[in-house]
Amino acid sequence: INADKLHPTLIASDMENGAGFAIRGATAFPSMRAIALSGKSEYAYEIGVIAAKEAMNAGYHWTFAPCVDVLGNPYNPPTANRSAGNDADEVLEYCGAYMSGLQDTGLIATLKHFPGDGYSYDDQHVTVTHNPLSRDEWDESYGKIYSTLIERGAMAIMPGHISLAAY
């Protein structure tokens, strides 16, 4: 094998709560909801920095985080403790800080779960769920979140198994 012809491997993992959920010996942090409840978005940024440093030290390039879903239904299985909050501004503040900490340190971040989870009673990891928002409601929440974070440099977006009938 000619090593000069090989492409480098891109290594990715889900690190919503820090590298400790993917890498043995790395730091595991509380959920984004717990961080938001602290009232300190600078914690989200610092956790992003630490997660990126630990991940990159282990050879990772990319994480499937942050989860930028709005907690529209507190009984939604995937977002009940993963969402930073129940409105776009709170999600932007905390998830945006985490994304910036990750990417400022050199790790690729991924916004998920487009077009937006958090309103159904079902888990979009096992069935296709439905986002019931109207166009105006979506534009003012998820549309605002995604457009703002894309403008701030988000490098990837992960689609979810979610229908959005309004569009």
Side-chain angles (χ1 to χ4, degrees), residues 62-69 99 103 108-117 124 138 142-162:
W62 185 2
T63 181
F64 305 132
C67 173
V68 297
D69 295 318
M99 180 195 84
Q103 292 193 166
I108 298 168
T110 304
L111 309 179
K112 62 182 184 183
H113 303 92
F114 187 85
D117 200 355
Q124 57 111 351
W138 190 89
Y142 291 103
K144 179 180 179 179
I145 292 166
Y146 279 96
S147 64
T148 300
L149 294 178
I150 288 167
E151 288 173 13
R152 287 178 47 193
M155 298 180 77
I157 296 173
M158 177 189 292
H161 306 272
I162 305 159

Side-chain angles (χ1 to χ4, degrees), residues 94-135:
Y94 290 91
C95 294
Y98 186 63
M99 180 195 84
S100 294
L102 293 167
Q103 292 193 166
D104 288 354
T105 311
L107 193 69
I108 298 168
T110 304
L111 309 179
K112 62 182 184 183
H113 303 92
F114 187 85
D117 200 355
Y119 282 87
S120 75
Y121 285 91
D122 298 315
D123 184 341
Q124 57 111 351
H125 297 92
V126 295
T127 188
V128 176
T129 63
H130 175 67
N131 182 319
L133 299 180
S134 69
R135 284 182 178 219

Side-chain angles (χ1 to χ4, degrees), residues 51-67:
K53 286 179 180 178
E54 291 181 336
M56 292 169 62
N57 188 50
Y60 286 78
H61 307 95
W62 185 2
T63 181
F64 305 132
C67 173

